[in-house]
Amino acid sequence: MKKNFLKILSPLLFFSYFSCVNSPTNPPSYSDIAIPKATPSALPYSSILDNLKPGTLPGSVTSPEEQQLIDLMNRKVNLTFPLKLGVLLLQENIDSIDNLKRKELLSKYIEHLKSNNNISDVIEIPSSLISRTSTIEDIRKLAARFQVNLLIIINDTYESPYNDKEKDLTPLEIISNINYFKTKSNMEVFVIDIVSGVFVLSQNISNSLEEKISLVEDYKIKNLLNKSIDKLWNDLKDFSSNKINELANKR
Amino acid sequence: MKKYIFKIFVISYLLVSCSINPASGQWENINIDKENNRVTTIINIVQTDNSFTGKVTTKKEKDNKIIEESQIDISGYVSGNILVIENVSQINSSKLKKSTLTLSSDKKSLTLSPGSIVFNKK
């Protein structure tokens, strides 16, 4: 009877031993187990599906802003000649030059552009239609309403002549009340293609003039500033003509 | 007799001082500027052995009428036949450019540098 009992019990003990070895109460060491890392695949399936967009591979997702930049980078500028140009002179707080003089210089510049065979028409875009907070896209939209191909944006600044006290004077200069006066004019020029929104040109034009002026002849101080301003606008004329002709020759 | 001795003394002093300090005296330059004005500049120099003082006067005339006149004082040291101008009055906040007056070998002209403006003995 005892023998029979053992015969029945031994297979039961054998199985119960193995079941105890693999049971959770006796866990294996963690070094032996490969722990899965947190990968996108570890995310819930619903969130992975949400991030997927038609035509894009997982991991190559671009934001709408980035996509806009890529679009801009790849845009081609197709200019049709003769060009219809817009000119926008930005309104700045300029104390050293009166507004009438600026308007006169702008009119002469527009007339100069009109004489170019590669330009069919030039329209002045009034700066009163833009505000200080206007973005380049606002300006582009405005130029589109004037139906121009290219827009020239001009930002000009002028420095009133000042007495350069660092300059050494000779005795005769001292007796004649002569001083060295300096002035500086600067202009940032941007040319934007309205259709593509791409900047075709960007240039900084500037000059710095110095002159010996007797303090009793103060009208010469104003003349010095006028010389600098005239030189700046003449340089702008030369720059614009050369660049437009270059663009026309590239066709 | 005393009067004679005094006169001889004064004349000989002037002769000797002029030969020892040849830059002393009045020097003049006349030119016409860009606006067609006649500009006369006179330098009056009193030279001692190693130093000098002087007055520079300019007069600008148009159609024989003085339109501008001004004067400054100068001083400095003497090195051979060169007078180095160290100080100028009315300089205000400006700085003086290194300037010299060079006496010619015949002692008949004085050249102001920079500018090489020639002044003739008056």
Side-chain angles (χ1 to χ4, degrees):
Chain A
M1 178 69 186
K2 258 189 180 178
K3 270 187 180 178
N4 280 343
F5 181 70
L6 278 171
K7 269 182 185 177
I8 295 161
L9 197 65
S10 61
L12 282 170
L13 283 169
F14 180 76
F15 282 110
S16 66
Y17 169 73
F18 276 99
S19 65
C20 282
V21 162
N22 291 324
S23 74
T25 52
N26 191 12
S29 71
Y30 282 104
S31 59
D32 298 329
I33 300 164
I35 300 164
K37 285 177 187 172
T39 54
S41 60
L43 292 166
Y45 287 116
S46 60
S47 70
I48 295 168
L49 291 170
D50 288 346
N51 286 339
L52 281 177
K53 282 178 185 171
T56 55
L57 291 167
S60 66
V61 181
T62 51
S63 67
E65 290 80 17
E66 284 173 324
Q67 193 55 52
Q68 205 176 0
L69 293 179
I70 293 163
D71 289 347
L72 272 170
M73 292 286 284
N74 293 326
R75 272 182 213 174
K76 289 224 169 5
V77 177
N78 290 315
L79 296 172
T80 46
F81 285 85
L83 294 165
K84 194 174 175 186
L85 288 184
V87 180
L88 172 65
L89 181 63
L90 293 177
Q91 191 118 44
E92 287 296 317
N93 287 327
I94 294 168
D95 302 326
S96 50
I97 172 172
D98 63 78
N99 224 21
L100 274 176
K101 167 106 182 157
R102 271 178 95 218
K103 289 275 170 202
E104 188 189 314
L105 289 161
L106 180 65
S107 300
K108 282 182 183 170
Y109 174 60
I110 289 171
E111 286 308 310
H112 172 81
L113 290 175
K114 282 179 179 172
S115 66
N116 191 314
N117 291 332
N118 293 312
I119 298 166
S120 61
D121 197 10
V122 186
I123 296 171
E124 184 195 339
I125 311 252
S127 58
S128 55
L129 293 176
I130 59 156
S131 69
R132 285 196 168 270
T133 53
S134 295
T135 63
I136 204 70
E137 281 308 310
D138 296 333
I139 294 170
R140 189 180 155 207
K141 280 177 196 165
L142 178 68
R145 288 180 186 277
F146 282 89
Q147 297 187 322
V148 294
N149 306 118
L150 288 182
L151 176 67
I152 303 172
I153 305 166
I154 302 165
N155 185 24
D156 54 340
T157 50
Y158 308 95
E159 202 174 78
S160 289
Y162 65 93
N163 191 343
D164 183 10
K165 295 274 182 189
E166 292 300 306
K167 205 88 181 174
D168 296 352
L169 302 173
T170 67
L172 286 187
E173 285 168 347
I174 293 163
I175 198 170
S176 308
N177 266 321
I178 282 172
N179 282 271
Y180 286 80
F181 280 84
K182 270 187 176 175
T183 188
K184 196 178 175 187
S185 300
N186 190 72
M187 194 179 262
E188 291 171 315
V189 186
F190 306 100
V191 182
I192 187 167
D193 173 41
I194 300 305
V195 174
S196 64
V198 172
F199 281 101
V200 180
L201 294 167
S202 165
Q203 182 77 21
N204 196 67
I205 304 167
S206 68
N207 70 62
S208 182
L209 298 185
E210 185 188 75
E211 205 169 278
K212 282 198 298 186
I213 296 172
S214 170
L215 291 176
V216 291
E217 299 167 313
D218 55 353
Y219 66 92
K220 286 186 179 175
I221 299 170
K222 203 179 174 185
N223 285 353
L224 178 66
L225 177 63
N226 285 336
K227 271 186 213 171
S228 174
I229 295 165
D230 291 342
K231 183 177 175 0
L232 189 75
W233 282 82
N234 284 332
D235 289 346
L236 173 68
K237 283 178 191 171
D238 293 343
F239 165 76
S240 307
S241 299
N242 293 339
K243 289 293 172 186
I244 284 161
N245 292 339
E246 263 179 41
L247 288 172
N249 292 335
K250 272 185 191 172
R251 275 178 296 170
Chain B
M1 183 65 184
K2 265 188 179 178
K3 265 188 182 177
Y4 262 128
I5 292 166
F6 181 72
K7 273 184 182 176
I8 290 163
F9 175 77
V10 169
I11 290 164
S12 59
Y13 173 78
L14 285 171
L15 285 170
V16 169
S17 67
C18 279
S19 60
I20 295 169
N21 303 316
S24 289
Q26 202 172 58
W27 306 84
E28 186 183 59
N29 169 275
I30 299 167
N31 81 327
I32 307 294
D33 70 7
K34 283 178 198 170
E35 280 91 31
N36 220 27
N37 301 317
R38 182 186 155 98
V39 183
T40 308
T41 309
I42 294 165
I43 307 178
N44 261 307
I45 290 173
V46 178
Q47 184 187 345
T48 57
D49 292 345
N50 297 316
S51 63
F52 74 95
T53 56
K55 276 188 193 303
V56 184
T57 312
T58 60
K59 193 170 63 179
K60 198 183 268 188
E61 291 166 287
K62 192 165 200 161
D63 305 325
N64 294 322
K65 280 181 186 170
I66 299 169
I67 55 167
E68 205 183 310
E69 199 170 12
S70 49
Q71 190 180 65
I72 54 165
D73 296 325
I74 57 169
S75 63
Y77 65 90
V78 181
S79 172
N81 62 337
I82 298 169
L83 286 79
V84 180
I85 302 168
E86 287 184 300
N87 301 301
V88 175
S89 63
Q90 294 169 33
I91 191 159
N92 299 326
S93 56
S94 301
K95 285 185 281 179
L96 177 69
K97 193 179 268 184
K98 192 183 172 186
S99 307
T100 56
L101 287 159
T102 308
L103 192 67
S104 64
S105 53
D106 62 1
K107 295 173 178 49
K108 284 181 178 171
S109 68
L110 204 57
T111 305
L112 175 66
S113 292
S116 301
I117 299 151
V118 179
F119 292 81
N120 297 310
K121 191 120 193 185
K122 233 183 146 184

